[in-house]
Amino acid sequence: MKIFKLVIIALVMVSCGSDDGPGYQEPYDPSDDDPVVETLTDEEIMDLTQETTFKYFWDYAESNSGAAKERYHPNDPTNSQNVVTTGGSGFGLMAILVGIERGYITRVEGVSRLSQILNFFEGADRFHGAWSHWIDGGTGGIIPFSDQDNGGDLVETAFLAQGLICVKEYFKDGSTEEAELAAQADLLWKGVEWDWYTQGQNALFWHWSPSNNFAINLELKGYNETLIAFVLGAASLDYSIPVEAYHQGWADNGNIVSSASQYNTTLILDHAGTGTGPLFWAHYSYLGLDPRNLSDQYANYWDLNVNHTNINYLYCVDNPNSYVDYGEDCWGLTASYTRNSDGSVGYTAHDPENDTGVISPTAAISSIPYTPEKSLAAMHYFYSKNEILLGNAGFYDAFSPQYNDWVTERYLAIDQGPEIIMIENYRSQLLWNLFMQNEDVQNGLDALGFTY
């Protein structure tokens, strides 16, 4: 009995002791269940983003062609599984070069996959040299993008050609097999009849169809994503466009120049009448085309893209709609999947004039050459949500803290590609150096009056 009383007294003394006593337990706090996110250095977050994003173009490519699928939905992998994207495949070619340089794959593996892709595009349907927006990965036949868009897409073709030129330059001095691959890439892009898409005018037009001709009649005009098409059209040896197609068409006889500003930041060029366009306009043409020293009579293109990015950033920091979490480390508006008002998934070109409360990781990540500190801060923020935002092929395409961290667990080739490419351009200038050393590209830039 005395022993029992001593035990009871001891237990009471322990339970009434100081907070740091041997029997003390902290009160339950639900936040203790939150996952602990490992802190990464800037180099580590760039490594992670590049390596995971690379998988989109390597592990989840279209099986027959080896080229990039238009989209990949991990929860619905058969969705559009045979739909190859021409422009996204151009980004994929460049991503594979990054994969070789970063050691994700061997050079031999890269050459094998690139040969598979180039052979596919060599045999695919072409329309006066241009490829269609979408191609059936099993047959090489066109998949219509819309009722009238069932032929050549010149802008998508330009994005593919940008990648082909980088492949040519990367392998031209390599082994016999590599030199043959380089020659094949060179021949493919040089087969594009850029002049056909002028309709005999001082202009370029986006589409041509054997059944609908130029019925869509969409001219490439004003600052957007289409600059690369004019550079390559002027660079073409056999099918070059007139120089005035650039000056009268794209530049609208100089009316493209703008003195408008937002957040005390000058636009420099009119963004196709949109105010400030989505950030992919600062990415797609500049994956190979180096904007750092690029100028013509209309703009300094480095300043143009830095200003564009900063306006997008400052808008998100200002956050006029008071969306949750918008700020210095959560920013970036561009074309991507989106959350519709009813909660379903849609697609839109987000920008300050079309802000639905949805952040697209590619916007800030792919802007890293222009705003390195701000883009890295965004990458760290995205990684802090890795439990919901980081999937098996990189960061998912879009999310919204405003709507309880809504995430679309989907990927698009044209959003994943610029991430791995622009991070590499920031780190090593790999794709910029390859593209800009091409003599045909230099001739095209010279013809249009660029300094670079």
Side-chain angles (χ1 to χ4, degrees):
M1 180 62 70
K2 288 182 179 180
I3 294 174
F4 177 77
K5 288 181 178 179
L6 289 172
V7 170
I8 295 296
I9 292 170
L11 288 172
V12 170
M13 290 178 65
V14 168
S15 67
C16 296
S18 65
D19 286 352
D20 57 357
Y24 177 74
Q25 290 186 345
E26 291 280 355
Y28 172 69
D29 183 350
S31 67
D32 291 342
D33 293 337
D34 292 341
V36 177
V37 178
E38 178 188 5
T39 300
L40 302 181
T41 66
D42 288 348
E43 290 296 313
E44 288 170 340
I45 193 66
M46 287 189 287
D47 286 341
L48 178 141
T49 303
Q50 284 190 293
E51 187 165 8
T52 56
T53 304
F54 174 74
K55 293 179 181 178
Y56 183 96
F57 300 98
W58 193 259
D59 294 349
Y60 305 109
E62 197 281 322
S63 58
N64 180 67
S65 65
K69 296 176 184 174
E70 168 70 9
R71 60 182 61 88
Y72 168 54
H73 298 178
N75 296 325
D76 184 16
T78 62
N79 187 308
S80 306
Q81 65 181 348
N82 69 321
V83 180
V84 166
T85 167
T86 293
S89 291
F91 301 170
L93 297 178
M94 302 165 92
I96 290 171
L97 299 182
V98 175
I100 295 171
E101 287 292 297
R102 290 281 160 190
Y104 308 149
I105 54 173
T106 66
R107 193 175 177 99
V108 171
E109 289 172 326
V111 168
S112 177
R113 175 66 65 86
L114 289 167
S115 295
Q116 179 186 4
I117 297 170
L118 266 56
N119 288 338
F120 170 77
F121 278 99
E122 187 175 281
D125 288 348
R126 299 181 74 171
F127 305 88
H128 288 278
W131 290 272
S132 54
H133 190 123
W134 288 338
I135 305 173
D136 187 315
T139 68
I142 183 174
I143 297 176
F145 190 71
S146 66
D147 288 343
Q148 291 187 319
D149 187 359
N150 61 342
D153 184 313
L154 195 67
V155 177
E156 290 284 312
T157 295
F159 297 150
L160 177 61
Q162 191 174 205
L164 289 168
I165 289 170
C166 290
V167 169
K168 184 254 178 135
E169 293 297 324
Y170 190 83
F171 291 107
K172 65 181 182 182
D173 296 322
S175 66
T176 300
E177 183 182 7
E178 291 174 354
E180 289 174 352
L181 178 67
Q184 184 182 18
D186 194 46
L187 191 64
L188 281 172
W189 93 263
K190 286 181 176 175
V192 180
E193 298 177 26
W194 307 91
D195 57 344
W196 174 262
Y197 287 80
T198 67
Q199 296 192 65
Q201 304 174 39
N202 288 326
L204 271 181
F205 293 86
W206 205 303
H207 312 91
W208 179 82
S209 155
S211 58
N212 298 303
N213 205 356
F214 286 102
I216 297 177
N217 207 41
L218 180 58
E219 185 181 353
L220 280 58
K221 197 178 191 72
Y223 183 69
N224 46 32
E225 74 269 38
T226 65
L227 176 61
I228 189 68
F230 289 90
V231 173
L232 295 177
S236 175
L237 291 176
D238 298 323
Y239 306 105
S240 63
I241 62 173
V243 169
E244 288 307 311
Y246 176 69
H247 296 296
Q248 292 182 20
W250 189 79
D252 192 21
N253 292 307
N255 292 317
I256 194 172
V257 177
S258 174
S259 60
S261 65
Q262 296 181 17
Y263 297 99
N264 296 315
T265 306
T266 307
L267 268 67
I268 300 177
L269 296 182
D270 177 67
H271 288 216
T274 66
T276 307
L279 271 181
F280 75 88
W281 291 358
H283 305 151
Y284 290 0
S285 281
Y286 307 99
L287 301 178
L289 183 63
D290 186 351
R292 288 176 300 171
N293 298 302
L294 190 68
S295 296
D296 66 2
Q297 66 191 78
Y298 308 113
N300 176 301
Y301 290 85
W302 178 256
D303 292 343
L304 172 77
N305 291 332
V306 169
N307 287 9
H308 185 183
T309 308
N310 275 319
I311 289 170
N312 197 293
Y313 167 82
L314 291 168
Y315 169 84
C316 291
V317 172
D318 183 36
N319 192 14
N321 295 312
S322 300
Y323 288 130
V324 172
D325 265 17
Y326 271 40
E328 293 181 354
D329 56 358
C330 178
W331 63 278
L333 306 177
T334 193
S336 73
Y337 283 118
T338 193
R339 182 188 183 278
N340 295 327
S341 58
D342 63 0
S344 62
V345 178
Y347 184 87
T348 194
H350 308 97
D351 62 33
E353 287 74 39
N354 180 36
D355 180 12
T356 66
V358 171
I359 296 294
S360 312
T362 186
I365 294 172
S366 303
S367 296
I368 189 169
Y370 312 127
T371 52
E373 294 83 4
K374 296 165 186 172
S375 294
L376 283 165
M379 267 188 268
H380 286 292
Y381 172 84
F382 301 150
Y383 183 68
S384 76
K385 294 180 174 290
N386 72 72
E387 288 289 322
I388 60 168
L389 194 53
L390 183 62
N392 51 0
F395 292 111
Y396 290 125
D397 196 55
F399 76 104
S400 177
Q402 173 68 21
Y403 297 100
N404 299 313
D405 277 343
W406 171 91
V407 176
T408 176
E409 295 183 358
R410 304 179 179 190
Y411 298 102
L412 290 167
I414 56 174
D415 288 345
Q416 297 308 103
E419 294 182 28
I420 184 174
I421 295 165
M422 285 304 240
I423 291 174
E424 192 60 38
N425 280 333
Y426 170 69
R427 301 178 89 173
S428 73
Q429 300 81 54
L430 173 67
L431 291 315
W432 284 345
N433 289 340
L434 290 171
F435 187 80
M436 296 300 288
Q437 75 188 26
N438 181 268
E439 291 183 5
D440 297 309
V441 169
Q442 293 174 9
N443 290 337
L445 290 168
D446 292 343
L448 298 181
F450 280 92
T451 57
Y452 49 91

